[in-house]
Amino acid sequence: MKVIIIGSGVIGASAAYHLARQNIDVVMVDKHHKGNATDAGAGIVCPWMSKTNNQDWYQMARMGAKYYPELIAQLKEDGETNTGYKQVGALGVSLHPEEMDKIMQNLESKYEDAPEMGTFKRLSGWEAKELYPPLNADFEAVHVSGGARVDGRLLRDALKRAAQKKGAALIHGEAVLISGGERIKGVKVNGETIFADTVIATGGAWAPGLMNPLGLSLKVMPQRGQIVHLRLLETDTSDWPLLVPQKGHYMLAFDDSRVVVGATRENKSGFDYRITAGGVAEVLDEALSVSPDLKYGTVEEIRVGFRPMGPDMAPLLGTVQPYNNLILANGLGASGLTVGPYAGSLAALLAAGQEVNMDLSPYDPMRAIKQMQ
């Protein structure tokens, strides 16, 4: 059996890894678009504090968070330990006690079905500041021990290396789908035709361009995110928890005295790669209002990425009709690094014709696909 995967972001790399572990012939094809979401993203893995009412999104995100320890253990067995993943806990913070009440009630209602969230408890501002020193002590907090962070680039690269160790190939170039009847025969890339039994199309925000030649219009739009990386000199940030303010922005720290703050959610941005004054101001204003001591940090880097936004929050995962061997995995939006590795494992199961122990009907990609006139 041979599977072609178009796109080697975190979903595509995960699918390749899981297929290669089964000794299935895998070819990854990637154009390496500037601004791909995995390159820019710094992942917060803590779906349990989300305020969304979209249960389909939550179930996939919950399973994504639950799956991480298993995945990291598998990668370690395959010699990949530099994944950027670490369970450091998470702090949900707010100036308003009633919001803290709602967070606690939300966590209590979810705990029975999601014990992987670990322990959770309410903290005073000063207790929270002991865990995350830059925090404004006026903010109350709820601490969730199971919260984790992940570096998207490191995880993607670890998955790709592990897949290649097991025989997967990687081709740099732009793939064009070759169709025949109700099947996809393969792809054309760099003037070469590669045939396959199954094709998994990831491709992030660029996926609509892959579908258009088939006469299919895919409703996935790029959403620009601007993310600021700060360096805090001579500061050990390795065990700082994630910070999840209730306004939607986030902060997370890595082992190298670096704090990532972000991110803007700019709809109708197109593929405009500019770093804008308004975007940077929004990110820093939000961050400094919650963590004023970050003002002493050095602005080291500003990343721009384009999240693939589907018609709703739930991912797009399943077969693209009428092509019974074309699988789409896309539309993860702002939760790509929470959901991506798990969604990639499910795409691998579908490609291999194996049983998926999850109802995928709510994620049917056809809800975002129309036949072009």
Side-chain angles (χ1 to χ4, degrees), residues 41-260:
I44 284 183
V45 185
C46 187
W48 316 287
M49 280 198 282
S50 173
K51 295 183 290 185
T52 181
N53 291 320
N54 188 317
Q55 288 301 304
D56 295 327
W57 172 87
Y58 173 71
Q59 290 304 323
M60 184 69 77
R62 179 181 70 83
M63 294 301 296
K66 183 179 180 179
Y67 182 59
Y68 256 104
E70 179 182 341
L71 175 63
I72 298 304
Q74 288 177 353
L75 286 168
K76 185 176 181 180
E77 289 176 4
D78 291 325
E80 296 295 338
T81 58
N82 188 20
T83 61
Y85 175 84
K86 189 174 184 180
Q87 198 170 81
V88 291
L91 290 173
V93 300
S94 175
L95 291 171
H96 307 292
E98 60 272 18
E99 286 191 327
M100 294 293 95
D101 293 339
K102 290 179 181 178
I103 292 175
M104 287 294 291
Q105 292 167 5
N106 189 26
L107 294 170
E108 288 167 358
S109 69
K110 293 175 177 175
Y111 180 76
E112 184 176 352
D113 292 329
E116 61 273 6
M117 73 171 65
T119 61
F120 55 93
K121 61 180 179 179
R122 195 153 172 175
L123 303 178
S124 70
W126 288 106
E127 288 173 322
K129 191 174 175 64
E130 289 182 8
L131 299 175
Y132 185 87
L135 182 67
N136 180 343
D138 291 337
F139 280 79
E140 292 188 46
V142 171
H143 180 261
V144 180
S145 66
R149 47 85 165 161
V150 63
D151 183 310
R153 293 182 180 182
L154 293 180
L155 179 64
R156 174 203 59 197
D157 291 347
L159 288 164
K160 287 167 68 173
R161 285 192 302 267
Q164 288 174 292
K165 287 177 188 176
K166 294 184 179 298
L170 174 62
I171 297 174
H172 301 278
E174 186 165 7
V176 177
L177 293 168
I178 303 171
S179 62
E182 294 184 351
R183 293 185 63 80
I184 298 296
K185 295 180 178 180
V187 301
K188 182 170 285 188
V189 56
N190 299 332
E192 177 186 1
T193 298
I194 306 172
F195 295 101
D197 300 287
T198 304
V199 175
I200 300 175
T202 61
W206 291 267
L210 183 69
M211 297 293 165
N212 286 346
L214 299 178
L216 300 176
S217 175
L218 173 62
K219 190 178 180 182
V220 169
M221 303 294 292
Q223 182 195 69
R224 182 168 63 183
Q226 300 184 54
I227 305 169
V228 179
H229 290 239
L230 303 174
R231 182 78 63 182
L232 302 180
L233 299 177
E234 299 180 355
T235 303
D236 182 2
T237 59
S238 58
D239 292 323
W240 287 7
L242 323 169
L243 206 65
V244 188
Q246 295 305 291
K247 293 183 179 180
H249 286 62
Y250 60 79
M251 279 156 271
L252 65 157
F254 287 100
D255 292 347
D256 54 356
S257 302
R258 180 165 48 104
V259 175
V260 180

